[in-house]
Structure formats: C-alpha cells, structure tokens
C-alpha cells in the first residue's frame, strides 16, 4: 500500500516504531535472565487463534515459525492486537482480517510462482526532494493500460493480469464484497525492505475506498495508527496467505506501514487491490 501522490513522498516512520525493546533497569540478575529469554523466543499468547493453534500443534517447520510475531510490539500498551474477522476502529473505519484466507500449501505455491513469474522492478522515487531507490520491488497490473498510478514522483504503467493474480483477486473480492480493477504488488526481499507511514487517500480511488490485500511468504507486521490520536496503534501479522481489507473511513483517519524487522530473513509478497474510479488524467 503506497503513499499519497499529494504529498509526493512517503512519510517516514517515527524512530520509536522500529526500535526493539531494551531491558528495564534492574539489579536483579534473575529478572534480567528472564527478560532475555522472552526477547529471544517471542510470545505466542498475542497471536490470533488460527495462528496460535498452528504453532501449538507441535510443528516446527520453517513455515510455521514465520507465523510468530516478528517483534515484541504487543508488549507495548498502546499497540492493540488485530482480531480475526471484523475490527471496528470507530468513526466508520473497519478492517477485516482473515489470517488463513489461502490454505498453507496453496499460498506457498503462489508465492513461488509469483516470485519467479512477475517482472519485478526497483523503482526510483523522490523523498525529501532527492531521488532514492524504493526499499522493495514492485509490479503493477490493472484492467486497462490507461489506469496509470503515480506516487512519490513515479508513474506506474500497468501490465495485464496473470492467471495467478486473477485467482488471488477473485478470493479477496469474496472477502471484501466488492470488485477491484487494479493491483500493486510489493516484494519485500527481507526484513530490511519496508513501507513507510502513509494512507491510500488518492483521488483516483474516490472517497472512503475499500482496499484489499493478500500476503504470501514471510509474516510481517502491518501497523496502523490513528491520525487524530497517534499513540493508538493496531498490529496485524500478515503472511502465509493472510487477507486484510480496509474500508469506510480508514484512509481518512488512519495511517499504515510495514516497518523494518531485522529478525525477518525471508521474503514476502503483498498484493494490494484497489478500484480506480477516476483516472489520473481526469483527476488532475
């Protein structure tokens, strides 16, 4: 999900969002040992029930371990856990979270097919008035070649749909209850690739747009924070076939990002589906 062209740059995440927790001041050696253990193994208690059941089933495969939270972000009192199903954020903002929209083996297959079958690019964008390489790879598809998409000083020209992306599109449309006509694909090569704080409030999507996404591969934290009350945050772990839909006033009242996660070594692909209702030439 990408920054608004109106700002012509991606918003940078506050420094605190990417920090790991540090040990509390204490002279008690046993407390320090216990804190260190918690840091190294993470906690399963904050996972959605579908993920928790998988982790506690006894499996220790690499794909299972990717479902763990990637940081200790839910130990912070101002970060709320996103719940499976409908999340009412208030003031007409709603998020639908389905961690197992795609069966695990099917999601692995799609991940590998998209990794090798999509013509990924690393685009140059402008941030703070200077050109930089975007910290992830992208591709863009839409119903019509005229459905260009401009953000951060870079204009994307869509290619046609592939069969795999159309199948994913059909699934997320069932979850969202709407149809989409464009898709931005983001390939996060590891935990260093990221997406800064922004909202998808571009004019070409109209007021209160419904936006759907599907995530394949490694699990990454999808963070949301209130524009009016920035300390209020939500976290949705997305990966391995998870789907998420934002609708209502989300883009007017909330920002979202995918922060860096140093512990994540594997790749993730996210497909973000939107409906263009006012082409860019008409919007301008």
């Amino acid at each position: 999900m990408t920054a608004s062209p109106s700002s012509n740059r991606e918003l940078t995440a506050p420094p605190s969002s990417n920090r790991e927790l540090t040990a509390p001041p204490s002279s008690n050696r046993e407390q320090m040992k216990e804190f260190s253990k918690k840091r190294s193994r993470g906690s399963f208690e904050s996972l959605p029930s579908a993920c928790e059941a998988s982790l506690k089933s006894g499996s220790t495969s690499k794909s299972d371990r990717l479902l763990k939270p990637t940081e200790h972000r839910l130990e912070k009192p101002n970060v709320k856990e996103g719940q499976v199903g409908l999340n009412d954020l208030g003031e007409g903002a709603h998020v639908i979270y389905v961690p197992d929209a795609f069966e695990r083996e099917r999601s692995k297959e799609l991940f590998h097919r998209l990794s090798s079958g999509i013509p990924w690019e690393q685009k140059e964008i402008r941030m703070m008035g200077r050109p930089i390489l975007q910290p992830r790879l992208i591709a863009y598809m839409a119903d019509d070649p005229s459905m260009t998409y401009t953000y951060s000083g870079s204009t994307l020209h869509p290619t046609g749909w592939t069969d795999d992306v159309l199948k994913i599109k059909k699934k997320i449309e069932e979850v969202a209850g709407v149809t989409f006509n464009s898709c931005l694909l983001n390939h996060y090569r590891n935990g260093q690739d990221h997406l800064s704080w922004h909202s998808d409030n571009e004019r070409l999507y109209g007021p209160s747009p419904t936006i759907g996404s599907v995530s394949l591969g490694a699990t990454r934290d999808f963070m949301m924070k209130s524009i009016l009350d920035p300390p209020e945050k939500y976290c949705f772990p997305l990966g391995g076939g998870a789907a998420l839909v934002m609708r209502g006033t989300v883009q007017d009242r909330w920002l979202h990002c995918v922060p860096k996660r140093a512990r994540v070594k594997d790749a993730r692909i996210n497909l973000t589906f939107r409906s263009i209702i006012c082409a860019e030439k008409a919007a301008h």
Side-chain angles (χ1 to χ4, degrees), residues 112-123:
H112 290 299
R113 289 168 66 94
L114 294 181
S115 295
S116 60
I118 297 293
W120 300 103
E121 296 181 275
Q122 186 172 20
K123 302 286 287 187

Side-chain angles (χ1 to χ4, degrees), residues 1 11 13 46 50 124 139 142 153 247 257:
M1 302 178 183
L11 301 177
S46 58
E124 184 179 272
R247 68 187 190 191
C257 76

Side-chain angles (χ1 to χ4, degrees), residues 53-64:
S54 174
L55 286 164
K56 292 186 177 181
S57 65
S59 173
T60 57
S61 69
K62 186 175 183 179
S63 61
D64 286 341

Side-chain angles (χ1 to χ4, degrees), residues 91-93 198-202 206-209 211 224-228 246-256:
E91 303 294 332
H198 69 282
S199 65
D200 296 332
N201 59 350
E202 292 94 336
S208 301
I211 298 174
M224 299 183 65
K225 71 176 180 180
S226 169
I227 294 175
L228 297 178
M246 297 181 287
R247 68 187 190 191
T249 60
V250 170
Q251 304 310 319
D252 295 323
R253 299 180 179 274
W254 292 80
L255 302 176
H256 56 270

Side-chain angles (χ1 to χ4, degrees), residues 101-140:
F102 284 85
E103 186 271 335
R104 183 172 302 174
E105 291 304 315
R106 177 58 172 156
S107 70
K108 288 182 182 179
E109 177 188 357
L110 287 168
F111 173 81
H112 290 299
R113 289 168 66 94
L114 294 181
S115 295
S116 60
I118 297 293
W120 300 103
E121 296 181 275
Q122 186 172 20
K123 302 286 287 187
E124 184 179 272
I125 60 174
R126 299 194 68 82
M127 181 176 291
M128 305 297 290
R130 62 185 180 89
I132 64 169
L133 286 176
Q134 204 167 23
R136 58 193 176 276
L137 307 180
I138 67 166
Y140 180 53

